[in-house]
Amino acid sequence: MKDVSILIPTYNDACGQLVIDLQRQAEALAIGYEIIVGDDGSTDAGVVSLNRRIDTVPHCRYVERPRNEGRAAIRNFLAREACYPWLLFIDSDMTVVASDFVFKYVSGTEADVVYGGIIVGGDQEKLRGNLRFLYEKASEPEHTLERRREQPYHDFHTANFLIRRELMLRHPFDERFRYYGYEDVLFGKQLRTAHISITHIDNPVGFCTFESNADFVSKTEEGMRTLHTFRSELRGYSRLITLVEGIHLPVVLSVIRLAYRMLGPAVRRQLCGRRPCLRLFNLYKLAYFVTLEDEKPFGGDR
């Protein structure tokens, strides 16, 4: 079995229960392990106070970074901090849903990179007004093992993956990605360029925590700005870029921009309300992305 460093990047997420669940599983196995939570400059003092308790859990430590450096940099930092030859990255807002989750990774394939997938949890009746939940549920068919194996580099996400440490150090995340979104997409592309295979297995974590509609809309807008900034590098790895670049009539793009200027604020209010429409959300993403051509480059701190 593999000795493993379990690495959890976090930003304003209380992840003590996730650490305890993972530590209990790892402790039951005859392996060397550590769990490192890397706090990327969290601003919520209450969350930081809760996460500091992680230092009291055996083989676990909580490392606070003085300022937010971004989603790519914190993962690279954790890889450098790790001491074991295998790295298991898990996002701090994920949930362990299987009692043999760690075992499947440390006892399984010797592939250089392994992605276990996600499943969407939560009470569908209670969450029917939550836009993030609706979006993730609609995307569930894309997360099946069969679909992921069809496009192993396109369907790779940082929420739950295992990688050799020496490989991660040779192929780090691109630290220009400081804001939300797409650092994992480019990482998948980099692995493909380097002829490093990604093995997909059925070992998901649960996506069970969903932000408010307003927060998700803001996060989506940030992701669209990231996508627009790195559109050249991400060409061929984003359906939205492919869709927009397939619109060859300038008048169509002009109509989309006009519609966004006239209706964008009203649509945004609807999406942030109690009964968001997923179809409107997808149209809003498209229009928001198209209008970014008229704006200044994305920059500044989170």
Side-chain angles (χ1 to χ4, degrees):
M1 290 200 288
K2 306 177 182 74
D3 295 335
V4 64
S5 295
I6 301 175
L7 308 177
I8 305 173
T10 190
Y11 179 77
N12 288 335
D13 277 327
C15 53
Q17 188 59 54
L18 173 63
V19 169
I20 290 171
D21 292 342
L22 292 167
Q23 190 269 346
R24 286 173 177 167
Q25 289 195 20
E27 189 68 22
L29 304 172
I31 60 170
Y33 78 94
E34 64 179 347
I35 300 176
I36 309 174
V37 177
D39 190 312
D40 194 22
S42 289
T43 57
D44 188 323
V47 166
V48 172
S49 179
L50 288 172
N51 282 340
R52 283 174 178 163
R53 300 175 187 175
I54 291 167
D55 281 327
T56 67
V57 182
H59 302 283
C60 300
R61 59 189 174 110
Y62 176 62
V63 182
E64 297 178 57
R65 302 274 278 173
R67 66 187 297 269
N68 182 266
E69 298 290 347
R71 296 164 62 85
I74 189 62
R75 288 173 171 83
N76 292 340
F77 166 77
L78 285 168
R80 294 191 298 269
E81 285 286 300
C83 68
Y84 289 109
W86 290 91
L87 311 178
L88 174 54
F89 280 91
I90 302 173
D91 281 358
S92 60
D93 57 350
M94 296 292 110
T95 301
V96 176
V97 296
S99 60
D100 60 350
F101 171 75
V102 176
F103 174 78
K104 281 186 177 179
Y105 271 125
V106 301
S107 65
T109 175
E110 291 294 317
D112 291 327
V113 184
V114 185
Y115 175 56
I118 65 170
I119 57 174
V120 181
D123 188 319
Q124 189 158 352
E125 183 63 26
K126 291 181 179 178
L127 291 167
R128 60 183 178 180
N130 183 277
L131 182 58
R132 182 63 182 270
F133 174 76
L134 296 175
Y135 177 78
E136 297 298 340
K137 286 298 288 185
S139 302
E140 264 191 318
E142 300 173 14
H143 300 319
T144 64
L145 181 60
E146 293 75 17
R147 287 290 296 273
R148 288 190 277 120
R149 283 176 171 171
E150 289 175 5
Q151 292 190 305
Y153 295 97
H154 289 68
D155 291 317
F156 170 81
H157 303 282
T158 56
N160 172 27
F161 76 101
L162 183 79
I163 187 171
R164 291 183 188 272
R165 181 174 184 269
E166 56 88 14
L167 181 62
M168 176 80 182
L169 295 178
R170 281 192 286 116
H171 300 278
F173 283 89
D174 189 328
E175 295 192 8
R176 293 176 301 161
F177 283 71
R178 293 197 58 202
Y179 304 93
Y180 179 76
Y182 297 96
E183 80 286 342
D184 49 358
V185 178
L186 185 62
F187 188 67
K189 179 182 177 181
Q190 290 170 339
L191 293 178
R192 184 175 190 173
T193 301
H195 304 290
I196 298 166
S197 63
I198 299 175
T199 297
H200 288 259
I201 66 172
D202 184 21
N203 193 27
V205 288
F207 194 163
C208 306
T209 303
F210 308 96
E211 61 268 72
S212 70
N213 293 347
D215 285 347
F216 181 51
V217 171
S218 295
K219 185 181 286 188
T220 298
E221 291 168 343
E222 185 176 334
M224 291 300 96
R225 296 194 294 272
T226 299
L227 180 61
H228 186 263
T229 298
F230 297 101
R231 58 195 180 281
S232 296
E233 291 95 327
L234 295 170
R235 183 170 290 112
Y237 284 75
S238 162
R239 284 189 287 268
L240 185 57
I241 291 177
T242 301
L243 173 62
V244 172
E245 292 187 344
I247 300 174
H248 299 297
L249 295 176
V251 66
V252 175
L253 297 175
S254 297
V255 169
I256 293 174
R257 291 189 181 98
L258 178 61
Y260 178 81
R261 286 196 295 271
M262 295 178 63
L263 302 175
V267 171
R268 195 182 195 281
R269 285 193 298 273
Q270 195 279 337
L271 296 174
C272 294
R274 295 181 178 180
R275 296 182 179 180
C277 173
L278 193 56
R279 187 169 298 176
L280 270 181
F281 174 69
N282 291 326
L283 292 172
Y284 182 81
K285 282 175 61 178
L286 169 64
Y288 188 93
F289 182 81
V290 168
T291 61
L292 289 173
E293 290 291 345
D294 305 325
E295 298 185 4
K296 295 178 181 179
F298 187 30
D301 292 328
R302 180 187 282 182

